[in-house]
Every structure is written in C-alpha cells, then in structure tokens.
Amino acid sequence: MAMMTSNVLGVPRTIILCDDVAGSFLLSMPRPGSGVANPDGELVIVPVSQYSFETKKTNKTIYISPLDSTVNPIEFPLVNGGKAFWLDSRTLAHVVNENIFAVTLDYNATAFAAGSSSFVRVPRAPYLMGSFPIGSGPTNFKFTGSKKVHASPNQKDDLQHILDEKWENRGNSALVYDELFVRHWDEYATDKKTRLFSVELNWKDDSLGGTWTLGTDYFKVLEHTEHYTPVEPFGGTDDFDVSQEHIVYTAKDPSVSGATHTRQNVYIVPLKGGLVPRELTTGHQGATHSPVFSPDGRWVAWAEMAEDGYESDRAVLVLYDLKTNKRWYLTQEWDQSVQSIEFANDGDGSNPTVFVTASEHAYAKVFSFTIPDFVTSEAVSKPKQPKFPTPKAITHSGSVHGVQALHNGKLVFSRSSYSGPHNVYLASGVSKADGNVSFTRVERITQFGVKELKGKPLDHGEQFWFKGAEKGRD
C-alpha cells in the first residue's frame, strides 16, 4: 500500500493507493452484521458475509454465540443464502427465496460451562414451515414473539410475478411518467412498490417436541391506502414495528409530491388490518423514521424532523401515548439527532427507560434516559416549564448499531471502528440515577476480524479540535 499527497488548487489532499494484495485482503475480510439475541438473552446470532477470491463467490454464514462468554461461536453456513432470525429462544427461521424453514437448536448449558465447542447442536433436521406466494420475494420480517404470532413480511403487491414478467417482455425500454419522482439516487421510479402483509405462524405440540407452520391467509394491512413501506430505496425493518395487536409504520405522505417533500407520517393499524390506519404524527412535520413500540404496547416512539423538505434537519424523539393520545417531544432541547430507538425491557412500565443512538464527536454512541413522571402518570401534573432529562452516553467510541434491550436488564449491541468490523458487545450491571441508566461492565462477545488483522496494526485515528465561530471547540 502506498500513500501520496497532492496539492490541487492550493488545497492539500491525501490519496491512498491500494495494491492488489491489500485490496484483496480488504475485500476478503469477514463482514459481520448486527447481532440479535434470542428472547431468553442466552444466545446471539450474527450474520456474516465473506467474499472468496478462490470461488469468486460471497459466502453467507450465521454464527451463534453464548452471551455469557467469549468462547468461539458455532458456525452454520447458509449454502443457499437467505435470511435467518429467531422464532423463539430455541428455534431459528431461515427464509430462502419463497420457502421458510425452522431450525431447532439444543443449547447445552453444561457443555458450555465446561468450555465445549458443542454447546449448541441441531437435534432435528431443518423442516419446511411453508412457502410464500411465488414471486413475492418476502423480506423484512418482524414477530410478535408469542407461540401464535404474526409475521409482517414486506412483499410486492398481488400478482407481482405476473406484472414482472409482463414488464420484462414489454418489447421496449421506454419509461413514461405523469408525475415526479422520475429517479431516486441511482434507480428509476417504477410502479413496483413495497407493502406490508401479515400472516400467522402457528405452533403445535407433537411427538417431535413441537412444530411451526406458516399460515395460508395473508392480511393486506395497507389495503385501500396509498401507503408504501418500507420507504424505498433505503427503508427496512426500522420503518415499522409490531406489538401483540398492532403495526406501527412510517410512510411517505400520499397527499404531497415526493419529489419536493420529505414528509413521512407515522400510522398505526391492527395486525390483520381491516381498519383505516390512524395517523400519529401531526401531518406538518418532515421526515420520520424508526417507529417502535414499548414492551407493554402502550407507547410508540419515533425520530422526527420538524421541517418538511429539509433533509439535514435534527431528528428529535417523539413519544406517543396510545392510552391518552398525547404526544411528547422528549429531546427537543438536546443537541444531537436521534438515529434509532429502543425501550428497556426490564418490566418497569411506570417510568420506561429509552435507549437511543446518535452521533457525537464523530462516534455513533448509545445514550439513555428515563421518561419522567409527569409524562407517564396522569396523577402527576405537568410542570409549567417541564424539564426533560438529557440523554447520557453509555458508549464512548466506535460506531454502534443494533441496540437490543434484554429482559434481564442487560443491553446487547454491535460496534465497529476504523480498525475493525462489527463485533457484539454486552453491557451489564445496570443502575439508575438522576433519570439516566449506566452499566458497570461492557464486554466484547465476538472476535470477528481478530485473526485476519493479526500483525496488521491499523491506526485508530485521533481527534483534533479547532476554534470555531463562537471561539470554542463545541
């Protein structure tokens, strides 16, 4: 690897040149995704993709690791690709194309305590739970987490495979538009848009220890609306959430042109649809993202920009009480922009704790705060000048993603840095004081990239500050 500097129009620039060896090394590094813990908080799965120059293919693998140790994880190759996620604490779902399989796991705590690498095994061959409609291309799954649950697969509209075939065989490449957006980033807008559907997953006890099956009735929860979510081209599972009874989602406001407006409204609708979605936003805001339910289903929170059409606005955390239909702007006075939101899962419904991620000083950190009494209790009157707690940082380095609160008060998240890929961390030893949460211990669980980077020290970078317009570094 060589480095050179140049001076273009009087501006010094640094250009990094990679040779073939360095380029091959970087491209063949494992690329872990965010870890996801099982409902019991014992195990975590991490999807990893890694390109091989020998086979000229990208291999996808799921790693399973216990959360109470740093032992080497168990590797499950996904030969045919696909997505994997938890159905319950001992079952993984694996979606390949339109087929969904169940993978039963046996977690041997005794073997784990003894340091055995066989702490997780598959006692039963993966079995087919069912198949989604041909050509639906389901993705972006979320579950309510009970034995009879609803999946919310993001699919294309009905008969999409027929429309796709008709589109491919149309005989020309002309595109005709009668409205703006014509092109978004690097893709032309077409009539193909994404919607949410829900379908039941049923559990039945049997001689094999229980079997999951996919239902056959698909509920068009956004039928008779012009709501499309996840919002393309970047939206995913962070554009909607599910509770035991409802789906909350964000979608472009259909009453305004998407070419000149950034406004996204937040709506709530029953799991099986059947009712007109109810808007939770004011309808005068800008973009919204990351709507989530509290564990008890009473609260909905999302990140919201105030000004429509302003893509770089600061996102504040909005809290909506489904019991009283009150809306609270909790981080209005905070100088950071909320990126993602997670409610604590500690059973404290009277004063919920909220975790948010936000960028501060070039790091994507986790912050926390507790919702005050005058918001959560009708018996406590609202102060004339309400003061909301300032979120307190829990992490102080790297870039954090995939924050997940466990029922035992612990916190799981993935963190990357300049010098290494995503790895899973566990925060434990929780305590509350002055409206904030802190943890006494943050432990790294996985070791992705350690072997590949051994003997190749990468610079961690350093901070530098200069006096700004107000004569201060802040």
Side-chain angles (χ1 to χ4, degrees), residues 447-464:
Q447 306 295 324
F448 295 114
V450 172
K451 180 179 68 175
E452 290 82 2
L453 293 171
K454 186 176 181 179
K456 302 177 179 64
L458 298 179
D459 193 279
H460 292 274
E462 62 183 66
Q463 295 184 351
F464 66 93

PDB file of all heavy atoms in Angstrom, residues 447-464:
ATOM      1  N   GLN A 447     -15.255 -12.049  18.260  1.00  0.00           N
ATOM      2  CA  GLN A 447     -13.888 -11.635  17.902  1.00  0.00           C
ATOM      3  C   GLN A 447     -13.705 -11.601  16.382  1.00  0.00           C
ATOM      4  O   GLN A 447     -12.658 -12.006  15.868  1.00  0.00           O
ATOM      5  CB  GLN A 447     -12.870 -12.598  18.534  1.00  0.00           C
ATOM      6  CG  GLN A 447     -13.013 -12.780  20.023  1.00  0.00           C
ATOM      7  CD  GLN A 447     -12.722 -11.509  20.791  1.00  0.00           C
ATOM      8  OE1 GLN A 447     -11.836 -10.721  20.410  1.00  0.00           O
ATOM      9  NE2 GLN A 447     -13.453 -11.270  21.882  1.00  0.00           N
ATOM     10  N   PHE A 448     -14.678 -11.131  15.651  1.00  0.00           N
ATOM     11  CA  PHE A 448     -14.579 -11.079  14.195  1.00  0.00           C
ATOM     12  C   PHE A 448     -13.447 -10.147  13.771  1.00  0.00           C
ATOM     13  O   PHE A 448     -13.309  -9.033  14.281  1.00  0.00           O
ATOM     14  CB  PHE A 448     -15.893 -10.618  13.578  1.00  0.00           C
ATOM     15  CG  PHE A 448     -17.029 -11.573  13.792  1.00  0.00           C
ATOM     16  CD1 PHE A 448     -18.113 -11.219  14.573  1.00  0.00           C
ATOM     17  CD2 PHE A 448     -17.004 -12.838  13.221  1.00  0.00           C
ATOM     18  CE1 PHE A 448     -19.166 -12.103  14.779  1.00  0.00           C
ATOM     19  CE2 PHE A 448     -18.039 -13.734  13.422  1.00  0.00           C
ATOM     20  CZ  PHE A 448     -19.128 -13.367  14.209  1.00  0.00           C
ATOM     21  N   GLY A 449     -12.645 -10.610  12.826  1.00  0.00           N
ATOM     22  CA  GLY A 449     -11.562  -9.803  12.280  1.00  0.00           C
ATOM     23  C   GLY A 449     -10.261  -9.898  13.032  1.00  0.00           C
ATOM     24  O   GLY A 449      -9.224  -9.448  12.528  1.00  0.00           O
ATOM     25  N   VAL A 450     -10.258 -10.487  14.232  1.00  0.00           N
ATOM     26  CA  VAL A 450      -9.033 -10.544  15.030  1.00  0.00           C
ATOM     27  C   VAL A 450      -7.963 -11.378  14.328  1.00  0.00           C
ATOM     28  O   VAL A 450      -6.799 -10.970  14.221  1.00  0.00           O
ATOM     29  CB  VAL A 450      -9.334 -11.116  16.431  1.00  0.00           C
ATOM     30  CG1 VAL A 450      -8.031 -11.370  17.191  1.00  0.00           C
ATOM     31  CG2 VAL A 450     -10.223 -10.173  17.208  1.00  0.00           C
ATOM     32  N   LYS A 451      -8.331 -12.573  13.848  1.00  0.00           N
ATOM     33  CA  LYS A 451      -7.364 -13.445  13.175  1.00  0.00           C
ATOM     34  C   LYS A 451      -6.856 -12.807  11.888  1.00  0.00           C
ATOM     35  O   LYS A 451      -5.657 -12.819  11.604  1.00  0.00           O
ATOM     36  CB  LYS A 451      -8.005 -14.794  12.877  1.00  0.00           C
ATOM     37  CG  LYS A 451      -7.084 -15.783  12.181  1.00  0.00           C
ATOM     38  CD  LYS A 451      -7.788 -17.119  11.925  1.00  0.00           C
ATOM     39  CE  LYS A 451      -8.891 -16.958  10.893  1.00  0.00           C
ATOM     40  NZ  LYS A 451      -9.510 -18.271  10.535  1.00  0.00           N
ATOM     41  N   GLU A 452      -7.778 -12.226  11.122  1.00  0.00           N
ATOM     42  CA  GLU A 452      -7.383 -11.645   9.822  1.00  0.00           C
ATOM     43  C   GLU A 452      -6.500 -10.409   9.993  1.00  0.00           C
ATOM     44  O   GLU A 452      -5.624 -10.134   9.163  1.00  0.00           O
ATOM     45  CB  GLU A 452      -8.633 -11.274   9.029  1.00  0.00           C
ATOM     46  CG  GLU A 452      -9.445 -12.460   8.518  1.00  0.00           C
ATOM     47  CD  GLU A 452     -10.374 -13.019   9.588  1.00  0.00           C
ATOM     48  OE1 GLU A 452     -10.398 -12.454  10.714  1.00  0.00           O
ATOM     49  OE2 GLU A 452     -11.087 -13.993   9.317  1.00  0.00           O
ATOM     50  N   LEU A 453      -6.704  -9.666  11.071  1.00  0.00           N
ATOM     51  CA  LEU A 453      -5.958  -8.423  11.276  1.00  0.00           C
ATOM     52  C   LEU A 453      -4.709  -8.600  12.121  1.00  0.00           C
ATOM     53  O   LEU A 453      -3.994  -7.631  12.379  1.00  0.00           O
ATOM     54  CB  LEU A 453      -6.864  -7.376  11.928  1.00  0.00           C
ATOM     55  CG  LEU A 453      -8.023  -6.866  11.062  1.00  0.00           C
ATOM     56  CD1 LEU A 453      -8.963  -6.000  11.880  1.00  0.00           C
ATOM     57  CD2 LEU A 453      -7.492  -6.081   9.866  1.00  0.00           C
ATOM     58  N   LYS A 454      -4.455  -9.818  12.561  1.00  0.00           N
ATOM     59  CA  LYS A 454      -3.271 -10.058  13.375  1.00  0.00           C
ATOM     60  C   LYS A 454      -2.000  -9.710  12.591  1.00  0.00           C
ATOM     61  O   LYS A 454      -1.805 -10.146  11.457  1.00  0.00           O
ATOM     62  CB  LYS A 454      -3.224 -11.521  13.803  1.00  0.00           C
ATOM     63  CG  LYS A 454      -2.089 -11.825  14.776  1.00  0.00           C
ATOM     64  CD  LYS A 454      -2.133 -13.274  15.242  1.00  0.00           C
ATOM     65  CE  LYS A 454      -1.012 -13.563  16.227  1.00  0.00           C
ATOM     66  NZ  LYS A 454      -1.050 -14.976  16.703  1.00  0.00           N
ATOM     67  N   GLY A 455      -1.136  -8.925  13.200  1.00  0.00           N
ATOM     68  CA  GLY A 455       0.089  -8.484  12.534  1.00  0.00           C
ATOM     69  C   GLY A 455      -0.112  -7.351  11.552  1.00  0.00           C
ATOM     70  O   GLY A 455       0.833  -6.965  10.862  1.00  0.00           O
ATOM     71  N   LYS A 456      -1.317  -6.836  11.481  1.00  0.00           N
ATOM     72  CA  LYS A 456      -1.607  -5.720  10.575  1.00  0.00           C
ATOM     73  C   LYS A 456      -2.219  -4.579  11.393  1.00  0.00           C
ATOM     74  O   LYS A 456      -3.427  -4.330  11.335  1.00  0.00           O
ATOM     75  CB  LYS A 456      -2.574  -6.151   9.468  1.00  0.00           C
ATOM     76  CG  LYS A 456      -2.075  -7.321   8.624  1.00  0.00           C
ATOM     77  CD  LYS A 456      -3.115  -7.719   7.602  1.00  0.00           C
ATOM     78  CE  LYS A 456      -2.634  -8.871   6.730  1.00  0.00           C
ATOM     79  NZ  LYS A 456      -2.422 -10.113   7.511  1.00  0.00           N
ATOM     80  N   PRO A 457      -1.415  -3.911  12.166  1.00  0.00           N
ATOM     81  CA  PRO A 457      -1.952  -2.850  13.035  1.00  0.00           C
ATOM     82  C   PRO A 457      -2.557  -1.709  12.214  1.00  0.00           C
ATOM     83  O   PRO A 457      -1.928  -1.178  11.300  1.00  0.00           O
ATOM     84  CB  PRO A 457      -0.720  -2.379  13.817  1.00  0.00           C
ATOM     85  CG  PRO A 457       0.450  -2.751  12.952  1.00  0.00           C
ATOM     86  CD  PRO A 457       0.044  -4.018  12.258  1.00  0.00           C
ATOM     87  N   LEU A 458      -3.785  -1.398  12.524  1.00  0.00           N
ATOM     88  CA  LEU A 458      -4.470  -0.293  11.859  1.00  0.00           C
ATOM     89  C   LEU A 458      -4.589   0.885  12.817  1.00  0.00           C
ATOM     90  O   LEU A 458      -4.857   0.711  14.005  1.00  0.00           O
ATOM     91  CB  LEU A 458      -5.864  -0.732  11.388  1.00  0.00           C
ATOM     92  CG  LEU A 458      -5.914  -1.867  10.370  1.00  0.00           C
ATOM     93  CD1 LEU A 458      -7.359  -2.191  10.021  1.00  0.00           C
ATOM     94  CD2 LEU A 458      -5.133  -1.499   9.111  1.00  0.00           C
ATOM     95  N   ASP A 459      -4.393   2.066  12.288  1.00  0.00           N
ATOM     96  CA  ASP A 459      -4.452   3.253  13.133  1.00  0.00           C
ATOM     97  C   ASP A 459      -5.883   3.488  13.606  1.00  0.00           C
ATOM     98  O   ASP A 459      -6.834   3.390  12.828  1.00  0.00           O
ATOM     99  CB  ASP A 459      -3.953   4.468  12.342  1.00  0.00           C
ATOM    100  CG  ASP A 459      -3.682   5.654  13.251  1.00  0.00           C
ATOM    101  OD1 ASP A 459      -4.647   6.347  13.614  1.00  0.00           O
ATOM    102  OD2 ASP A 459      -2.511   5.866  13.593  1.00  0.00           O
ATOM    103  N   HIS A 460      -6.051   3.777  14.875  1.00  0.00           N
ATOM    104  CA  HIS A 460      -7.377   4.017  15.435  1.00  0.00           C
ATOM    105  C   HIS A 460      -7.881   5.428  15.153  1.00  0.00           C
ATOM    106  O   HIS A 460      -9.031   5.740  15.458  1.00  0.00           O
ATOM    107  CB  HIS A 460      -7.348   3.783  16.951  1.00  0.00           C
ATOM    108  CG  HIS A 460      -7.128   2.346  17.330  1.00  0.00           C
ATOM    109  ND1 HIS A 460      -8.153   1.431  17.444  1.00  0.00           N
ATOM    110  CD2 HIS A 460      -5.982   1.663  17.589  1.00  0.00           C
ATOM    111  CE1 HIS A 460      -7.655   0.243  17.784  1.00  0.00           C
ATOM    112  NE2 HIS A 460      -6.346   0.362  17.868  1.00  0.00           N
ATOM    113  N   GLY A 461      -7.041   6.242  14.568  1.00  0.00           N
ATOM    114  CA  GLY A 461      -7.428   7.626  14.330  1.00  0.00           C
ATOM    115  C   GLY A 461      -7.281   8.456  15.595  1.00  0.00           C
ATOM    116  O   GLY A 461      -7.124   7.925  16.694  1.00  0.00           O
ATOM    117  N   GLU A 462      -7.314   9.738  15.441  1.00  0.00           N
ATOM    118  CA  GLU A 462      -7.213  10.629  16.594  1.00  0.00           C
ATOM    119  C   GLU A 462      -8.081  11.857  16.367  1.00  0.00           C
ATOM    120  O   GLU A 462      -8.368  12.239  15.232  1.00  0.00           O
ATOM    121  CB  GLU A 462      -5.769  11.047  16.838  1.00  0.00           C
ATOM    122  CG  GLU A 462      -5.136  11.821  15.694  1.00  0.00           C
ATOM    123  CD  GLU A 462      -3.675  12.149  15.970  1.00  0.00           C
ATOM    124  OE1 GLU A 462      -2.858  11.212  16.032  1.00  0.00           O
ATOM    125  OE2 GLU A 462      -3.370  13.352  16.135  1.00  0.00           O
ATOM    126  N   GLN A 463      -8.525  12.433  17.458  1.00  0.00           N
ATOM    127  CA  GLN A 463      -9.358  13.623  17.378  1.00  0.00           C
ATOM    128  C   GLN A 463      -8.497  14.879  17.295  1.00  0.00           C
ATOM    129  O   GLN A 463      -7.395  14.935  17.830  1.00  0.00           O
ATOM    130  CB  GLN A 463     -10.259  13.718  18.611  1.00  0.00           C
ATOM    131  CG  GLN A 463     -11.282  12.614  18.732  1.00  0.00           C
ATOM    132  CD  GLN A 463     -12.189  12.827  19.928  1.00  0.00           C
ATOM    133  OE1 GLN A 463     -11.951  13.701  20.755  1.00  0.00           O
ATOM    134  NE2 GLN A 463     -13.235  12.015  20.027  1.00  0.00           N
ATOM    135  N   PHE A 464      -9.031  15.865  16.601  1.00  0.00           N
ATOM    136  CA  PHE A 464      -8.395  17.183  16.639  1.00  0.00           C
ATOM    137  C   PHE A 464      -9.494  18.235  16.670  1.00  0.00           C
ATOM    138  O   PHE A 464     -10.591  18.031  16.152  1.00  0.00           O
ATOM    139  CB  PHE A 464      -7.448  17.405  15.447  1.00  0.00           C
ATOM    140  CG  PHE A 464      -8.148  17.469  14.114  1.00  0.00           C
ATOM    141  CD1 PHE A 464      -8.545  18.695  13.579  1.00  0.00           C
ATOM    142  CD2 PHE A 464      -8.393  16.315  13.383  1.00  0.00           C
ATOM    143  CE1 PHE A 464      -9.185  18.755  12.349  1.00  0.00           C
ATOM    144  CE2 PHE A 464      -9.031  16.367  12.156  1.00  0.00           C
ATOM    145  CZ  PHE A 464      -9.431  17.594  11.638  1.00  0.00           C
TER     146      PHE A 464
END
